[in-house]
Amino acid sequence: MTTRPPTPSRRTLLRALAALPVTALALGELPGLLGAAEATAPANGYATRYTIVPFLDSDDGTVNVYQSDDATDFRLLQASAYTPPGNRIRDASVFRHTDSYYYITYTTHTWQDESTTIGFARSADRVNWTFLYDYTIPITDLSRAWAPEWFVDSDGSVNVIVSCSTTDDEWIFTPYVLTATDSALTAWTSPTALSGIGANHIDTYIVKAGSTYHAFTKNETAKYIEYGTATSLKGPYTISRTGDWAGWGSYREGPSVIQLDNGGWRIFFDGYGDGNYYYSDSYDTFATWTTPTALPTLSGTARHFTVVKETVAGGASPTKNATRSFQSVNYTTRYWEEVSSLLNLPVVTGSSATADKQAATFTMVAGLADANGYSFRDAAGNYLRHYGFRGRFDANDGTTAFARDATFIARTGTTTGSVRFESYNYPGYYLRHYDYQLRVSLSDGTDLFRQDSSFTPVTSWA
């Protein structure tokens, strides 16, 4: 892909990024719980890891486990990883607890059936899961308990937000919160309705930024995801954004919000009305959002999930302040080379001209926008940046926009020692070769794209 996303414009996005506070925003998580990471690229040798445990469009009796290093390209880790001993599994929400186990909570019945319980299971490795128990929500005349979502508050308390209806109107849902009263997550407080959100809201997802609780909740009548805030987890919330306020469209559900490595926020939601699963990003703390983009590999397969983000060992570890050449993984005679200020991928050999060898040699330095990222400098001191999604070299003008254009996050490549370089300010976009030109393109989730965007730092030609 080489075309610019329809919104936001490059200028709008960069201005929004420039306005983003550099301080990390609490995600309603603590280190070791939901794997919260600061808004920075992972350090050398470490990787960001996002995990989801969705039920399947074709089967609500089991869940798959997928993982991603960029929150865009999710790859299957384990098919049919967990099947409950009875009933169904829908709307699974996942987090990592202080005991190092991963826990899921989920809806236990199909949408047609009465459902008064939510299920719990756990895993040490995200692959092998053990059923724990089904928990009956203690609400008088309960009809349905749906879409339980984990929320870990900044005080460390573990909560479940669950949507419940009663027998007098089984399709009118209200969000409730339950708080664990033991570290084993086997005992819970009585459910308390979240004040201010009101009836007929479902799939309520909470994040905490600073001292403010932000609720993303589906209006079951209008079929839009609405937004509200509160100063307390239990409310009262003020719903301030309704209708198609974010440009996501209607017939959307199952929102889940995380913070990306560049400090932006990403919402995932189930576009059940058209069969796609979408993401959209915000760089002004939820005020405006990018045009929704369908997730590759997951759309049409995965249904309603939440995301756990962690920083783990085993990431890419290219050396900074080193002079290197960059060899294509799938065209091994071809290397990065600067040609008329643009980055191309021609053949370079031992018999190539000295000027070509020099033009195929670059210095990797700490990222201009994030020291854990990477920037690339040519012999003249110009930096590789994307402009119009083309890789090119320009003098550093000292602006925030330039620094972000010229910063890339290192992700593990497809072969040992290879690296994929993700654009810092366009998450999910990678330096990849196309017609032997280097462009910043959105990952399509294919093996070919991963190979086209993988390069091995090798001994420099000059």
Side-chain angles (χ1 to χ4, degrees):
M1 175 177 176
T2 59
T3 57
R4 184 185 302 277
T7 59
S9 70
R10 182 172 175 274
R11 183 183 300 274
T12 298
L13 179 58
L14 293 175
R15 282 178 175 172
L17 276 167
L20 185 73
V22 296
T23 53
L25 299 176
L27 193 61
E29 305 170 2
L30 292 176
L33 293 175
L34 281 177
E38 292 183 358
T40 184
N44 205 33
Y46 288 83
T48 303
R49 185 173 72 193
Y50 304 87
T51 301
I52 63 173
V53 187
F55 78 99
L56 308 181
D57 186 60
S58 60
D59 185 359
D60 64 358
T62 190
V63 288
N64 289 350
V65 178
Y66 298 84
Q67 66 181 16
S68 172
D69 58 4
D70 60 10
T72 303
D73 181 8
F74 283 89
R75 309 177 198 182
L76 182 66
L77 177 65
Q78 182 66 46
S80 299
Y82 171 67
T83 300
N87 302 319
R88 318 307 292 168
I89 177 168
R90 301 169 64 90
D91 316 326
S93 179
V94 60
F95 91 115
R96 192 178 187 187
H97 195 20
T98 50
D99 60 6
S100 295
Y101 280 94
Y102 298 86
Y103 287 79
I104 55 173
T105 181
Y106 53 91
T107 304
T108 57
H109 290 76
T110 65
W111 68 271
Q112 301 100 325
D113 297 335
E114 184 176 273
S115 178
T116 60
T117 61
I118 57 175
F120 292 88
R122 75 175 188 176
S123 171
D125 58 7
R126 302 175 300 139
V127 172
N128 301 288
W129 294 82
T130 300
F131 171 74
L132 296 177
Y133 61 96
D134 286 340
Y135 178 74
T136 300
I137 304 297
I139 293 177
T140 302
D141 296 325
L142 179 66
S143 174
R144 286 169 171 79
W146 282 5
E149 315 277 8
W150 294 110
F151 173 76
V152 182
D153 210 336
S154 51
D155 63 1
S157 62
V158 179
N159 305 272
V160 170
I161 313 297
V162 59
S163 302
C164 297
S165 68
T166 51
T167 54
D168 58 337
D169 201 333
E170 61 183 347
W171 301 116
I172 300 298
F173 288 86
T174 298
Y176 289 81
V177 58
L178 298 81
T179 302
T181 58
D182 67 343
S183 60
L185 309 181
T186 58
W188 301 88
T189 61
S190 296
T192 300
L194 296 184
S195 173
I197 292 180
N200 213 28
H201 285 82
I202 195 171
D203 299 351
T204 300
Y205 191 90
I206 308 290
V207 295
K208 189 178 183 182
S211 60
T212 301
Y213 295 83
H214 301 259
F216 297 82
T217 182
K218 179 193 176 187
N219 183 315
E220 188 61 21
T221 299
K223 311 300 182 185
Y224 290 109
I225 295 172
E226 299 182 340
Y227 167 78
T229 57
T231 57
S232 168
L233 173 59
K234 296 178 182 179
Y237 286 84
T238 299
I239 300 296
S240 58
R241 299 289 186 270
T242 60
D244 196 16
W245 66 278
W248 298 328
S250 60
Y251 290 88
R252 308 298 192 230
E253 65 183 16
S256 177
V257 182
I258 57 166
Q259 193 170 29
L260 300 172
D261 287 342
N262 69 356
W265 295 86
R266 174 162 292 183
I267 187 170
F268 300 88
F269 54 84
D270 188 343
Y272 68 100
D274 57 29
N276 287 316
Y277 220 102
Y278 291 98
Y279 69 87
S280 176
D281 297 342
S282 175
Y283 292 92
D284 50 14
T285 316
F286 315 136
T288 60
W289 296 82
T290 61
T291 299
T293 301
L295 282 166
T297 71
L298 294 181
S299 289
T301 299
R303 297 294 311 277
H304 193 147
F305 58 75
T306 65
V307 185
V308 57
K309 178 184 179 183
E310 302 173 273
T311 299
V312 297
S317 56
T319 304
K320 289 189 173 81
N321 300 313
T323 301
R324 294 286 186 267
S325 293
F326 294 88
Q327 181 184 37
S328 168
V329 160
N330 54 353
Y331 290 86
T332 56
T333 62
R334 293 181 176 271
Y335 296 78
W336 291 9
E337 182 178 333
E338 182 181 355
V339 179
S340 299
S341 297
L342 298 176
L343 188 60
N344 291 339
L345 194 74
V347 173
V348 181
T349 68
S351 59
S352 294
T354 299
D356 288 325
K357 292 179 179 179
Q358 291 174 338
T361 297
F362 308 94
T363 301
M364 283 196 300
V365 298
L368 296 180
D370 183 332
N372 282 348
Y374 291 81
S375 292
F376 304 90
R377 205 168 52 216
D378 66 11
N382 294 323
Y383 285 86
L384 173 65
R385 53 92 62 93
H386 62 80
Y387 188 86
F389 294 93
R390 185 72 161 89
R392 57 179 283 171
F393 287 84
D394 288 311
N396 183 3
D397 63 11
T399 64
T400 299
F402 185 95
R404 286 171 169 149
D405 280 354
T407 298
F408 299 87
I409 299 176
R411 308 295 190 191
T412 303
T414 57
T415 60
T416 301
S418 68
V419 184
R420 303 172 68 210
F421 293 104
E422 182 188 16
S423 168
Y424 180 79
N425 53 354
Y426 281 85
Y429 284 69
Y430 286 83
L431 278 171
R432 62 86 62 97
H433 65 79
Y434 187 83
D435 285 344
Y436 307 124
Q437 297 177 344
L438 271 292
R439 301 176 179 275
V440 174
S441 300
L442 179 62
S443 173
D444 63 8
T446 64
D447 289 339
L448 177 60
F449 185 97
R450 296 174 194 133
Q451 293 165 4
D452 283 351
S453 57
S454 294
F455 303 92
T456 305
V458 297
T459 301
S460 61
W461 281 109

